[in-house]
Amino acid sequence: MILNFSRNYIIKDTLIISFFFLFLILGGCINPDKSFNYKNGDLLFSVGSGNSDFTSAIKESTSMKDEIPYSHVGIVSIEGDDIFIIEATTRGGVRKSTLKEFFAEAAEIDGKKLIAVGRLIPELQYSIPDAIENASAHLGKKYDYYYDEANDLFYCSELVRFSFKDSSGNYIIEPLKMSFKNKETGKPDPFWESHFKKLNVDIPEGMPGTNPADMAKLPVIDIVHTFFK
């Protein structure tokens, strides 16, 4: 009986240890967003998980073949032990999301999230505290479906651009000439033609603006981590 009693405990302990390691393994899969040491003001570039026409049009208009078609970007805001993302989305305008929510909405490849972490180059990181404050001041504002820098609405990369300023008050991220043409065909994307027609405005082709795919390649931003490699 003593032998059987000890054997039962050995089996029980083995099962507990096995479940413990299984929990750790699964925990790592469930929380991939915790596997990187974020810094305040980091920029998270992502590829949207939805197959909506809107997301597809953004990808097709802002990325060349073989490039990662980033369609969204948000700003990391660390508050105590919590990590939030200040972002402008079609679902809620300018909002503050949890890191878990941000990751849940990103696409995957081979089970890994299509998310990259961008960070301002060291000589510009002094601007981050003010940038977080600037971005937070726009919380609750509506999404900019017009892609117009002159209004008080914001799309994702526009929010980032208008949040970061240097010591002279100039925007760190310069605008580019926007294009709503399909990068593969060079022709106006049918989605954008329909989109702006419904808004009763001309397509702002060539007007100043930004997009996540080009922003991720700017010399003032270093990509310090990718979750898909």
Side-chain angles (χ1 to χ4, degrees):
M1 292 296 295
I2 295 176
L3 179 61
N4 290 337
F5 183 82
S6 301
R7 182 183 178 187
N8 287 339
Y9 266 88
I10 292 172
I11 294 173
K12 183 179 179 181
D13 288 344
T14 302
L15 288 174
I16 291 173
I17 293 171
S18 298
F19 279 120
F20 175 73
F21 280 106
L22 180 61
F23 175 79
L24 288 179
I25 294 171
L26 291 177
C29 296
I30 294 171
N31 297 297
D33 50 325
K34 298 296 185 181
S35 61
F36 177 75
N37 184 26
Y38 300 91
K39 291 187 177 181
N40 215 31
D42 280 349
L43 301 178
L44 295 191
F45 296 92
S46 70
V47 178
S49 61
N51 293 318
S52 68
D53 291 338
F54 187 81
T55 301
S56 297
I58 292 175
K59 294 175 184 177
E60 291 168 2
S61 299
T62 61
S63 292
M64 296 293 287
K65 186 177 180 181
D66 299 327
E67 289 184 355
I68 299 298
Y70 297 119
S71 57
H72 186 56
V73 60
I75 306 170
V76 171
S77 176
I78 300 176
E79 302 175 18
D81 293 329
D82 298 318
I83 300 174
F84 297 98
I85 310 299
I86 303 174
E87 57 180 346
T89 74
T90 57
R91 295 170 302 285
V94 182
R95 66 179 189 178
K96 185 185 292 185
S97 306
T98 65
L99 194 61
K100 187 174 183 179
E101 289 170 335
F102 189 92
F103 267 73
E105 294 174 357
E108 294 184 357
I109 183 170
D110 296 329
K112 298 177 181 179
K113 291 293 183 178
L114 281 168
I115 294 177
V117 183
R119 184 170 292 163
L120 278 184
I121 56 178
E123 53 266 41
L124 292 174
Q125 290 183 13
Y126 68 85
S127 67
I128 289 174
D130 284 344
I132 299 295
E133 186 175 339
N134 293 337
S136 298
H138 298 302
L139 289 170
K141 293 184 179 179
K142 294 182 179 180
Y143 188 84
D144 186 7
Y145 287 101
Y146 296 86
Y147 293 87
D148 184 354
E149 288 198 340
N151 59 27
D152 197 32
L153 312 175
F154 295 90
Y155 56 89
C156 65
S157 54
E158 182 183 23
L159 177 66
V160 174
R161 166 166 143 69
F162 284 126
S163 295
F164 289 86
K165 297 181 181 182
D166 63 20
S167 56
S168 299
N170 300 313
Y171 294 116
I172 289 173
I173 298 173
E174 295 290 333
L176 303 172
K177 290 184 178 181
M178 290 190 293
S179 177
F180 295 86
K181 296 179 180 179
N182 186 299
K183 287 289 183 73
E184 294 293 326
T185 66
K187 298 178 180 180
D189 192 288
F191 173 85
W192 292 121
E193 290 183 320
S194 175
H195 174 82
F196 289 108
K197 184 176 181 179
K198 290 177 182 177
L199 294 175
N200 198 30
V201 296
D202 293 332
I203 298 177
E205 184 73 23
M207 296 299 289
T210 58
N211 68 71
D214 285 329
M215 184 176 285
K217 296 181 289 186
L218 291 176
V220 295
I221 296 172
D222 292 326
I223 298 300
V224 295
H225 185 72
T226 57
F227 288 91
F228 50 87
K229 292 182 179 179

